[in-house]
Amino acid sequence: MSWNSPLHIHHISLFILQAKEIVLRHVVGAKVSAQDVATGPVETLGGETIELIKHHNGGIQIKGPTTSTHVVLANIFATNGVIHVIDSVIL
């Protein structure tokens, strides 16, 4: 299969769409600090719903469609939002 064959281009297009879907699953349309997170469902920019769970010790767990992850570093403030580092990809 050559690099510009229709099949190869199709596979690249699918990969890009899948990567975009995964990235948008990690972004919400609000600027939220860890202190303001509440337990409950949240819609992502990708249109999916993830479940946030705020633990009594302040820890935050995120449940995606098939996986669960935890915030390991919270509140990295940027000009366009707040970044929270997680320990795995939300799938």
PDB file of all heavy atoms in Angstrom, residues 28-54:
ATOM      1  N   VAL A  28     -13.596  20.323  29.214  1.00  0.00           N
ATOM      2  CA  VAL A  28     -14.955  20.809  29.474  1.00  0.00           C
ATOM      3  C   VAL A  28     -15.002  22.292  29.154  1.00  0.00           C
ATOM      4  O   VAL A  28     -13.976  22.962  29.112  1.00  0.00           O
ATOM      5  CB  VAL A  28     -15.403  20.538  30.933  1.00  0.00           C
ATOM      6  CG1 VAL A  28     -15.446  19.047  31.219  1.00  0.00           C
ATOM      7  CG2 VAL A  28     -14.514  21.252  31.926  1.00  0.00           C
ATOM      8  N   GLY A  29     -16.182  22.810  28.944  1.00  0.00           N
ATOM      9  CA  GLY A  29     -16.339  24.187  28.516  1.00  0.00           C
ATOM     10  C   GLY A  29     -16.459  25.183  29.650  1.00  0.00           C
ATOM     11  O   GLY A  29     -17.172  26.171  29.530  1.00  0.00           O
ATOM     12  N   ALA A  30     -15.783  24.952  30.755  1.00  0.00           N
ATOM     13  CA  ALA A  30     -15.847  25.872  31.893  1.00  0.00           C
ATOM     14  C   ALA A  30     -14.474  25.936  32.560  1.00  0.00           C
ATOM     15  O   ALA A  30     -13.690  24.993  32.476  1.00  0.00           O
ATOM     16  CB  ALA A  30     -16.888  25.395  32.892  1.00  0.00           C
ATOM     17  N   LYS A  31     -14.216  27.041  33.203  1.00  0.00           N
ATOM     18  CA  LYS A  31     -12.967  27.223  33.955  1.00  0.00           C
ATOM     19  C   LYS A  31     -13.263  26.852  35.404  1.00  0.00           C
ATOM     20  O   LYS A  31     -13.884  27.625  36.137  1.00  0.00           O
ATOM     21  CB  LYS A  31     -12.524  28.679  33.825  1.00  0.00           C
ATOM     22  CG  LYS A  31     -11.132  28.959  34.298  1.00  0.00           C
ATOM     23  CD  LYS A  31     -10.736  30.392  33.949  1.00  0.00           C
ATOM     24  CE  LYS A  31      -9.304  30.641  34.335  1.00  0.00           C
ATOM     25  NZ  LYS A  31      -8.876  31.992  33.921  1.00  0.00           N
ATOM     26  N   VAL A  32     -12.844  25.642  35.813  1.00  0.00           N
ATOM     27  CA  VAL A  32     -13.218  25.106  37.123  1.00  0.00           C
ATOM     28  C   VAL A  32     -11.970  24.717  37.909  1.00  0.00           C
ATOM     29  O   VAL A  32     -11.178  23.888  37.465  1.00  0.00           O
ATOM     30  CB  VAL A  32     -14.133  23.863  36.959  1.00  0.00           C
ATOM     31  CG1 VAL A  32     -14.560  23.331  38.315  1.00  0.00           C
ATOM     32  CG2 VAL A  32     -15.339  24.186  36.105  1.00  0.00           C
ATOM     33  N   SER A  33     -11.818  25.306  39.094  1.00  0.00           N
ATOM     34  CA  SER A  33     -10.713  24.909  39.967  1.00  0.00           C
ATOM     35  C   SER A  33     -11.115  23.642  40.718  1.00  0.00           C
ATOM     36  O   SER A  33     -12.303  23.302  40.800  1.00  0.00           O
ATOM     37  CB  SER A  33     -10.377  26.029  40.958  1.00  0.00           C
ATOM     38  OG  SER A  33     -11.425  26.187  41.885  1.00  0.00           O
ATOM     39  N   ALA A  34     -10.138  22.942  41.266  1.00  0.00           N
ATOM     40  CA  ALA A  34     -10.411  21.690  41.977  1.00  0.00           C
ATOM     41  C   ALA A  34     -11.357  21.915  43.157  1.00  0.00           C
ATOM     42  O   ALA A  34     -12.197  21.073  43.451  1.00  0.00           O
ATOM     43  CB  ALA A  34      -9.104  21.067  42.446  1.00  0.00           C
ATOM     44  N   GLN A  35     -11.245  23.057  43.816  1.00  0.00           N
ATOM     45  CA  GLN A  35     -12.110  23.357  44.957  1.00  0.00           C
ATOM     46  C   GLN A  35     -13.571  23.463  44.535  1.00  0.00           C
ATOM     47  O   GLN A  35     -14.474  23.211  45.323  1.00  0.00           O
ATOM     48  CB  GLN A  35     -11.683  24.680  45.625  1.00  0.00           C
ATOM     49  CG  GLN A  35     -10.325  24.627  46.272  1.00  0.00           C
ATOM     50  CD  GLN A  35      -9.164  24.823  45.284  1.00  0.00           C
ATOM     51  OE1 GLN A  35      -9.338  24.969  44.074  1.00  0.00           O
ATOM     52  NE2 GLN A  35      -7.948  24.790  45.805  1.00  0.00           N
ATOM     53  N   ASP A  36     -13.811  23.863  43.282  1.00  0.00           N
ATOM     54  CA  ASP A  36     -15.179  24.058  42.799  1.00  0.00           C
ATOM     55  C   ASP A  36     -15.793  22.823  42.162  1.00  0.00           C
ATOM     56  O   ASP A  36     -16.964  22.838  41.782  1.00  0.00           O
ATOM     57  CB  ASP A  36     -15.210  25.208  41.791  1.00  0.00           C
ATOM     58  CG  ASP A  36     -14.824  26.532  42.418  1.00  0.00           C
ATOM     59  OD1 ASP A  36     -15.052  26.706  43.638  1.00  0.00           O
ATOM     60  OD2 ASP A  36     -14.286  27.389  41.696  1.00  0.00           O
ATOM     61  N   VAL A  37     -15.016  21.752  42.031  1.00  0.00           N
ATOM     62  CA  VAL A  37     -15.542  20.518  41.441  1.00  0.00           C
ATOM     63  C   VAL A  37     -16.558  19.898  42.389  1.00  0.00           C
ATOM     64  O   VAL A  37     -16.345  19.842  43.598  1.00  0.00           O
ATOM     65  CB  VAL A  37     -14.398  19.510  41.144  1.00  0.00           C
ATOM     66  CG1 VAL A  37     -14.943  18.133  40.791  1.00  0.00           C
ATOM     67  CG2 VAL A  37     -13.510  20.029  40.036  1.00  0.00           C
ATOM     68  N   ALA A  38     -17.665  19.448  41.826  1.00  0.00           N
ATOM     69  CA  ALA A  38     -18.689  18.761  42.607  1.00  0.00           C
ATOM     70  C   ALA A  38     -18.935  17.389  41.986  1.00  0.00           C
ATOM     71  O   ALA A  38     -18.746  17.196  40.784  1.00  0.00           O
ATOM     72  CB  ALA A  38     -19.984  19.566  42.608  1.00  0.00           C
ATOM     73  N   THR A  39     -19.320  16.444  42.787  1.00  0.00           N
ATOM     74  CA  THR A  39     -19.647  15.115  42.296  1.00  0.00           C
ATOM     75  C   THR A  39     -20.858  15.194  41.368  1.00  0.00           C
ATOM     76  O   THR A  39     -21.848  15.853  41.684  1.00  0.00           O
ATOM     77  CB  THR A  39     -19.950  14.164  43.464  1.00  0.00           C
ATOM     78  OG1 THR A  39     -18.754  14.009  44.234  1.00  0.00           O
ATOM     79  CG2 THR A  39     -20.417  12.801  42.984  1.00  0.00           C
ATOM     80  N   GLY A  40     -20.729  14.518  40.222  1.00  0.00           N
ATOM     81  CA  GLY A  40     -21.843  14.466  39.295  1.00  0.00           C
ATOM     82  C   GLY A  40     -21.387  14.388  37.858  1.00  0.00           C
ATOM     83  O   GLY A  40     -20.191  14.435  37.562  1.00  0.00           O
ATOM     84  N   PRO A  41     -22.340  14.281  36.935  1.00  0.00           N
ATOM     85  CA  PRO A  41     -22.015  14.180  35.511  1.00  0.00           C
ATOM     86  C   PRO A  41     -21.605  15.535  34.944  1.00  0.00           C
ATOM     87  O   PRO A  41     -22.107  16.580  35.372  1.00  0.00           O
ATOM     88  CB  PRO A  41     -23.310  13.687  34.887  1.00  0.00           C
ATOM     89  CG  PRO A  41     -24.378  14.172  35.811  1.00  0.00           C
ATOM     90  CD  PRO A  41     -23.773  14.182  37.182  1.00  0.00           C
ATOM     91  N   VAL A  42     -20.682  15.498  33.981  1.00  0.00           N
ATOM     92  CA  VAL A  42     -20.221  16.704  33.288  1.00  0.00           C
ATOM     93  C   VAL A  42     -20.122  16.375  31.809  1.00  0.00           C
ATOM     94  O   VAL A  42     -19.589  15.325  31.428  1.00  0.00           O
ATOM     95  CB  VAL A  42     -18.832  17.146  33.809  1.00  0.00           C
ATOM     96  CG1 VAL A  42     -18.293  18.310  33.005  1.00  0.00           C
ATOM     97  CG2 VAL A  42     -18.902  17.504  35.278  1.00  0.00           C
ATOM     98  N   GLU A  43     -20.630  17.275  30.965  1.00  0.00           N
ATOM     99  CA  GLU A  43     -20.521  17.074  29.521  1.00  0.00           C
ATOM    100  C   GLU A  43     -19.188  17.636  29.035  1.00  0.00           C
ATOM    101  O   GLU A  43     -18.793  18.737  29.408  1.00  0.00           O
ATOM    102  CB  GLU A  43     -21.671  17.738  28.783  1.00  0.00           C
ATOM    103  CG  GLU A  43     -21.643  17.398  27.300  1.00  0.00           C
ATOM    104  CD  GLU A  43     -22.858  17.890  26.540  1.00  0.00           C
ATOM    105  OE1 GLU A  43     -23.882  18.157  27.174  1.00  0.00           O
ATOM    106  OE2 GLU A  43     -22.765  17.987  25.314  1.00  0.00           O
ATOM    107  N   THR A  44     -18.505  16.870  28.202  1.00  0.00           N
ATOM    108  CA  THR A  44     -17.236  17.298  27.636  1.00  0.00           C
ATOM    109  C   THR A  44     -17.464  18.044  26.329  1.00  0.00           C
ATOM    110  O   THR A  44     -18.560  18.019  25.769  1.00  0.00           O
ATOM    111  CB  THR A  44     -16.326  16.091  27.361  1.00  0.00           C
ATOM    112  OG1 THR A  44     -16.891  15.327  26.291  1.00  0.00           O
ATOM    113  CG2 THR A  44     -16.146  15.222  28.593  1.00  0.00           C
ATOM    114  N   LEU A  45     -16.413  18.699  25.820  1.00  0.00           N
ATOM    115  CA  LEU A  45     -16.523  19.380  24.536  1.00  0.00           C
ATOM    116  C   LEU A  45     -16.767  18.396  23.402  1.00  0.00           C
ATOM    117  O   LEU A  45     -17.240  18.775  22.341  1.00  0.00           O
ATOM    118  CB  LEU A  45     -15.274  20.207  24.249  1.00  0.00           C
ATOM    119  CG  LEU A  45     -15.120  21.480  25.078  1.00  0.00           C
ATOM    120  CD1 LEU A  45     -13.907  22.278  24.610  1.00  0.00           C
ATOM    121  CD2 LEU A  45     -16.356  22.340  25.041  1.00  0.00           C
ATOM    122  N   GLY A  46     -16.456  17.129  23.634  1.00  0.00           N
ATOM    123  CA  GLY A  46     -16.723  16.097  22.643  1.00  0.00           C
ATOM    124  C   GLY A  46     -18.159  15.603  22.662  1.00  0.00           C
ATOM    125  O   GLY A  46     -18.533  14.737  21.882  1.00  0.00           O
ATOM    126  N   GLY A  47     -18.972  16.141  23.575  1.00  0.00           N
ATOM    127  CA  GLY A  47     -20.377  15.751  23.648  1.00  0.00           C
ATOM    128  C   GLY A  47     -20.642  14.517  24.475  1.00  0.00           C
ATOM    129  O   GLY A  47     -21.772  14.030  24.541  1.00  0.00           O
ATOM    130  N   GLU A  48     -19.617  13.990  25.117  1.00  0.00           N
ATOM    131  CA  GLU A  48     -19.789  12.807  25.972  1.00  0.00           C
ATOM    132  C   GLU A  48     -19.979  13.252  27.418  1.00  0.00           C
ATOM    133  O   GLU A  48     -19.633  14.377  27.786  1.00  0.00           O
ATOM    134  CB  GLU A  48     -18.571  11.898  25.869  1.00  0.00           C
ATOM    135  CG  GLU A  48     -18.367  11.333  24.486  1.00  0.00           C
ATOM    136  CD  GLU A  48     -17.150  10.423  24.414  1.00  0.00           C
ATOM    137  OE1 GLU A  48     -16.199  10.607  25.177  1.00  0.00           O
ATOM    138  OE2 GLU A  48     -17.179   9.544  23.570  1.00  0.00           O
ATOM    139  N   THR A  49     -20.497  12.376  28.226  1.00  0.00           N
ATOM    140  CA  THR A  49     -20.656  12.665  29.646  1.00  0.00           C
ATOM    141  C   THR A  49     -19.651  11.838  30.433  1.00  0.00           C
ATOM    142  O   THR A  49     -19.541  10.626  30.241  1.00  0.00           O
ATOM    143  CB  THR A  49     -22.088  12.338  30.111  1.00  0.00           C
ATOM    144  OG1 THR A  49     -22.996  13.142  29.360  1.00  0.00           O
ATOM    145  CG2 THR A  49     -22.259  12.625  31.585  1.00  0.00           C
ATOM    146  N   ILE A  50     -18.904  12.525  31.296  1.00  0.00           N
ATOM    147  CA  ILE A  50     -18.010  11.850  32.230  1.00  0.00           C
ATOM    148  C   ILE A  50     -18.548  12.097  33.632  1.00  0.00           C
ATOM    149  O   ILE A  50     -19.301  13.047  33.855  1.00  0.00           O
ATOM    150  CB  ILE A  50     -16.547  12.348  32.106  1.00  0.00           C
ATOM    151  CG1 ILE A  50     -16.459  13.861  32.288  1.00  0.00           C
ATOM    152  CG2 ILE A  50     -15.945  11.915  30.771  1.00  0.00           C
ATOM    153  CD1 ILE A  50     -15.044  14.409  32.307  1.00  0.00           C
ATOM    154  N   GLU A  51     -18.189  11.247  34.545  1.00  0.00           N
ATOM    155  CA  GLU A  51     -18.667  11.355  35.915  1.00  0.00           C
ATOM    156  C   GLU A  51     -17.504  11.815  36.806  1.00  0.00           C
ATOM    157  O   GLU A  51     -16.442  11.200  36.815  1.00  0.00           O
ATOM    158  CB  GLU A  51     -19.177   9.995  36.396  1.00  0.00           C
ATOM    159  CG  GLU A  51     -19.792   9.999  37.767  1.00  0.00           C
ATOM    160  CD  GLU A  51     -21.207  10.588  37.779  1.00  0.00           C
ATOM    161  OE1 GLU A  51     -21.861  10.585  36.722  1.00  0.00           O
ATOM    162  OE2 GLU A  51     -21.642  11.031  38.842  1.00  0.00           O
ATOM    163  N   LEU A  52     -17.704  12.929  37.524  1.00  0.00           N
ATOM    164  CA  LEU A  52     -16.703  13.408  38.473  1.00  0.00           C
ATOM    165  C   LEU A  52     -17.111  12.972  39.867  1.00  0.00           C
ATOM    166  O   LEU A  52     -18.284  13.067  40.237  1.00  0.00           O
ATOM    167  CB  LEU A  52     -16.597  14.933  38.423  1.00  0.00           C
ATOM    168  CG  LEU A  52     -16.226  15.544  37.080  1.00  0.00           C
ATOM    169  CD1 LEU A  52     -16.131  17.054  37.206  1.00  0.00           C
ATOM    170  CD2 LEU A  52     -14.945  14.964  36.536  1.00  0.00           C
ATOM    171  N   ILE A  53     -16.129  12.513  40.629  1.00  0.00           N
ATOM    172  CA  ILE A  53     -16.390  12.095  42.004  1.00  0.00           C
ATOM    173  C   ILE A  53     -15.398  12.828  42.894  1.00  0.00           C
ATOM    174  O   ILE A  53     -14.187  12.634  42.790  1.00  0.00           O
ATOM    175  CB  ILE A  53     -16.234  10.572  42.168  1.00  0.00           C
ATOM    176  CG1 ILE A  53     -17.209   9.854  41.227  1.00  0.00           C
ATOM    177  CG2 ILE A  53     -16.445  10.163  43.625  1.00  0.00           C
ATOM    178  CD1 ILE A  53     -16.932   8.381  41.060  1.00  0.00           C
ATOM    179  N   LYS A  54     -15.913  13.700  43.749  1.00  0.00           N
ATOM    180  CA  LYS A  54     -15.079  14.447  44.692  1.00  0.00           C
ATOM    181  C   LYS A  54     -15.069  13.674  46.004  1.00  0.00           C
ATOM    182  O   LYS A  54     -16.108  13.447  46.623  1.00  0.00           O
ATOM    183  CB  LYS A  54     -15.654  15.848  44.896  1.00  0.00           C
ATOM    184  CG  LYS A  54     -14.862  16.704  45.842  1.00  0.00           C
ATOM    185  CD  LYS A  54     -14.011  17.679  45.079  1.00  0.00           C
ATOM    186  CE  LYS A  54     -13.298  18.634  46.004  1.00  0.00           C
ATOM    187  NZ  LYS A  54     -13.576  20.016  45.720  1.00  0.00           N
TER     188      LYS A  54
END
